[in-house]
Amino acid sequence: MAGTNRRAAPARSRRGTRTRPASSATAATTGAAGVAPRKRKFFDYPRSGYTGLHRWLPSWRFVLGSFVTLVFLMLGGAVAAYNSVTIPDPNADTAAQTTTVYFAPESADQPHGEVMGTFAVQKRTIVELATLPEYVGKAVIAAEDKTFETNAGVDPVGMARAFLNNVRGGKTQGGSTLTQQYVERYYFSTTTDYVGKAREALLAFKLARTEDKSKILERYLNTIYFGRDSYGIEAAAQSYFGKSAKDLSVSEAAVLAGIIPSPNNWDPAVSPEKAEARWNYVLDNMVEIGALPAAERAALVFPSDTLIPEQPSQSKMGPNGLLLQMVKKELGGAPLTMSEDDINRAGMSVVTTIRKPLQDMAVATAERFRAGTLEGQDGAAPGERTKYSITSIDPQTGGVVALYGGPNDDTDQRNHATFENVQGGSTFKPFALVAGLENGIPLKKTYNGRSGQKFPEWDGGNTPVRNFDGDNFGTIDLVKATELSVNTVYAQLNIEVGPDKTADVAARAGVPGVSPQNVSNVLGTDAIHPIDLAHAYATFANQGVKFPVHVVATVTNPDGTTAYTAPSEGERVFQADVMADTSFAMQQVVQNGSGKTWIKPLGRPIAGKTGTTNDNKAAWFAGFTPNMATVVSMSQKAPDGTSDESISPIGSVKYVTGSTWPAFIWQDYMKQAFSLPQYADVQQFPPRANVGGKASATPVPTETATEAPTEEPAEPQVVDVPNVEGRLEADATATLDALGLVVVVQKESSDTVTTGRVIRADPRGGQAPAGSTVTIVVSTGPKPQPTQPPPTQQPTPQPTQPANAGGNNGGGGGNGG
């Protein structure tokens, strides 16, 4: 009704009301009035046309669109990430295998002896899954991922659960499948951040679709850490049960599978209760996944009887650690020239020349000597700074069969057989003897054996050469001079043959670096490594055929191929007849000379030589049989650790010489060695060849091994031998020497005869041809008390004047030493 006076009702006031837009007429009118229309926003927020809360809330269309867009973006991102993931190269450590070093086999049907030690980045031996019992892999699946064979490589529920637990501050969880664990260890070593975990999950998902599950399981078994420094199932089986993984029982496999999450904490030796609880868990899961019949599971018992304790690492400390250092050094030399990293990763089998029973004897002898507990030692122990070594070499191969270089503990980590430089003393005299024989000087040639002689070639004649303890000898031949280690005779021999030839003999035998210009080199003024002297004496024992000294016999690659074999052919460096005469003369040292107290009672042919230097700074006994050469060295460093000093008294032995403690150690060790089957048979040296009359340096066979007949006087001169018992040594020696008799002086304790007087003589009277030998035994005073350590049969020489080596750095050697 156009004319009504009724007013329109006002609109209800509503919260958040949408504002009605102006009519078109109004808009037109407004536009016509020149007012510009409102511009529409690209992103209408806050929402126009609404008031209150609705103005700030997005519409349901916007929320749904955003969600759908986000889902598609996430899916697109996941697809892009999946396509961009490439399978990387394996972590280098996963391919590294343990190099195992073995002792020599004890019989021909053994490939090797016991394990000596290992070299590894990670202790691992890779095995194929097909070589293992099926239950080994099933045990690991039951322990780590029961759905491994059917899942897609990841467990989203487990990962989400682990994530929530971690962000809430709970104990860190991984939520990883077996495949994810494999990815982490095989390709990335270890991952802790969420980005890395996401990367692993994507790669695990991809591998589960592209790789055979058996291959994943095989690599996992060869990669996972099992504790006891063992990586992979094979190393773990050896570490926990002392057997190969292919020989594991079901129970044993379950033990190893159970400890994987925390092997160091759940090791049966650390936590037997937890290890057994995990063992039960694994077996129950094996039944659940159908890998083990319930009845068989019920009959199983925890394999505590086959578990072994963790074996301490032998790769660094102890005597075996020194042997392993020698092995590593040899592998690094020609022809293999392997770097340390190569050795640690190669997975080789290295069989050494070291015979474990013999090595155990050498170590036991050395350690008991240190403690003073060897039979006959009576508690007389060496000082803390006294060092000694034992080295044995097979002359017929050059292989080191036993070596004690020191304790290799926190206080002393030097190898005193290979590293220490020790003056050789009288052990060098055989080198001059060989040089003489090669140059036509026979054993029967005689020299003046008096002490205190001066020679123009020796320090210009200014310094006298003295015998050990100042002993005087008459005219004696080279056999007797070797037997009694007479310095003055060997000084004359070295002058005659030339010190360069003595040095050459030493080098050819196995001792390099001997000074060729120093005429006193015959008395062992040069410092050498004990293993080099053992090498030289092994060459003598093998009658002049020299092999390179070595500790590595064979090296085998992981695939079974041979990488290296030690040389099987030696080089003849000395004639056999020269060696026959050399070994004959050196046998007299044991039979009648300085070695007779301790070495002769062993009751077999042994050639050897004692050695003692000036001021008793070094002492040796070096001896050999036809099938083993053994050298015992003893020396001592001053507190500064570099300079040499006199060996401290051991027990009541004030002056340590070669015929005392070194000979004592040698006989104790070798007496044990001769009980082994390889060394039980007594072997003879070749008979004396009587080389002489012509040079024989070229290694060619001699035409005859018999001594050429010599013209004898028709009527030899006969003299009356006086009885010199009770006389002073000097008086008796002068009397016999004036009659043209050869005087040999020996010392012996006596409770009844005054020091320095003759106890007895042989012969004590009668008649004898001129030039015959008369042995006089001179008193050294009362016998020691019952607590005296060895030697007890013959008192230790106490020199009033040590052997003089011509002033060359105090070197020298001496008879009786």
Side-chain angles (χ1 to χ4, degrees), residues 35-344:
V35 179
R38 186 171 54 187
K39 188 177 180 180
R40 219 185 145 109
K41 293 185 292 185
F42 174 77
F43 182 67
D44 188 23
Y45 191 84
R47 299 167 65 192
S48 59
Y50 288 87
T51 61
L53 181 63
H54 280 231
R55 176 176 170 82
W56 299 96
L57 291 176
S59 69
W60 66 269
R61 295 182 183 86
F62 177 82
V63 171
L64 178 61
S66 298
F67 176 76
V68 172
T69 301
L70 180 62
V71 169
F72 276 101
L73 286 174
M74 291 177 64
L75 289 175
V79 171
Y82 177 85
N83 290 330
S84 67
V85 168
T86 58
I87 300 175
D89 292 331
N91 182 350
D93 287 345
T94 63
Q97 299 192 62
T98 300
T99 291
T100 305
V101 182
Y102 299 93
F103 286 99
E106 291 303 309
S107 62
D109 59 346
Q110 291 181 318
H112 51 70
E114 296 182 24
V115 174
M116 179 187 294
T118 57
F119 302 126
V121 174
Q122 296 177 350
K123 188 165 71 176
R124 174 188 289 108
T125 301
I126 296 174
V127 293
E128 295 181 1
L129 182 64
T131 65
L132 305 176
E134 185 179 7
Y135 53 73
V136 172
K138 294 291 187 181
V140 173
I141 291 172
E144 292 298 297
D145 185 2
K146 290 185 290 184
T147 64
F148 165 73
E149 294 175 306
T150 57
N151 65 37
V154 293
D155 179 9
V157 175
M159 293 174 65
R161 182 176 60 249
F163 174 76
L164 290 175
N165 179 79
N166 295 343
V167 297
R168 289 172 180 171
K171 186 177 180 181
T172 302
Q173 294 181 359
S176 298
T177 63
L178 187 150
T179 306
Q180 287 174 269
Q181 294 180 53
Y182 153 69
V183 167
E184 178 182 11
R185 288 163 177 81
Y186 192 75
Y187 292 104
F188 303 120
S189 182
T190 183
T191 305
T192 56
D193 59 275
Y194 290 115
V195 173
K197 290 294 183 183
R199 178 184 58 177
E200 288 176 3
L202 282 172
L203 184 55
F205 181 70
K206 189 165 192 173
L207 288 173
R209 294 169 56 86
T210 58
E211 282 196 2
D212 188 87
K213 287 292 184 79
S214 63
K215 180 57 66 175
I216 293 174
L217 180 60
E218 178 181 290
R219 290 176 176 172
Y220 179 87
L221 288 172
N222 282 308
T223 306
I224 200 72
Y225 181 61
F226 284 91
R228 298 193 179 185
D229 198 29
S230 301
Y231 292 81
I233 190 68
E234 178 66 20
Q238 295 288 354
S239 294
Y240 286 89
F241 297 102
K243 62 176 66 174
S244 175
K246 63 181 177 58
D247 300 320
L248 290 171
S249 67
V250 175
S251 284
E252 292 166 344
V255 168
L256 297 180
I259 66 174
I260 288 175
S262 186
N264 291 329
N265 295 321
W266 298 349
D267 184 326
V270 176
S271 179
E273 299 83 5
K274 184 62 177 179
E276 186 164 358
R278 287 289 299 176
W279 173 79
N280 281 307
Y281 169 80
V282 172
L283 292 178
D284 290 344
N285 283 356
M286 289 179 72
V287 173
E288 181 182 336
I289 66 176
L292 182 68
E296 183 178 341
R297 186 265 180 269
L300 295 176
V301 295
F302 189 75
S304 55
D305 57 332
T306 58
L307 280 163
I308 62 174
E310 183 174 3
Q311 302 300 307
S313 173
Q314 296 177 307
S315 61
K316 294 183 179 179
M317 304 302 290
N320 275 8
L322 297 180
L323 296 177
L324 291 170
Q325 290 176 23
M326 294 173 66
V327 170
K328 182 172 285 189
K329 182 178 180 181
E330 202 162 300
L331 293 175
L336 293 177
T337 60
M338 300 182 68
S339 68
E340 184 167 353
D341 191 58
D342 291 337
I343 296 169
N344 291 342

Side-chain angles (χ1 to χ4, degrees), residues 411-481:
T411 63
D412 182 8
Q413 297 177 16
R414 283 186 174 181
N415 189 333
H416 297 283
T418 62
F419 178 83
E420 207 71 66
N421 288 308
V422 184
Q423 279 192 326
S426 291
T427 61
F428 274 39
K429 288 173 180 171
F431 301 145
L433 179 64
V434 172
L437 291 168
E438 287 187 332
N439 287 274
I441 301 175
L443 291 179
K444 64 184 179 181
K445 184 170 182 178
T446 59
Y447 297 85
N448 185 345
R450 282 188 172 277
S451 185
Q453 298 182 61
K454 295 182 178 181
F455 308 104
E457 300 85 355
W458 197 285
D459 194 30
N462 297 316
T463 304
V465 179
R466 303 185 186 279
N467 294 328
F468 187 82
D469 209 15
D471 286 343
N472 290 305
F473 303 93
T475 302
I476 56 176
D477 63 17
L478 287 174
V479 174
K480 185 62 69 174

Side-chain angles (χ1 to χ4, degrees), residues 611-637:
T612 309
T613 64
N614 274 359
D615 301 321
N616 303 89
K617 292 181 178 179
W620 304 74
F621 188 84
F624 56 89
T625 62
N627 59 354
M628 191 196 305
T630 296
V631 167
V632 173
S633 70
M634 190 173 289
S635 60
Q636 187 163 310
K637 293 293 183 184

Side-chain angles (χ1 to χ4, degrees), residues 357-383:
L358 200 62
Q359 176 68 14
D360 291 344
M361 292 171 180
V363 172
T365 296
E367 291 180 345
R368 290 179 60 201
F369 176 69
R370 174 70 66 188
T373 59
L374 288 176
E375 182 181 357
Q377 196 173 352
D378 300 328

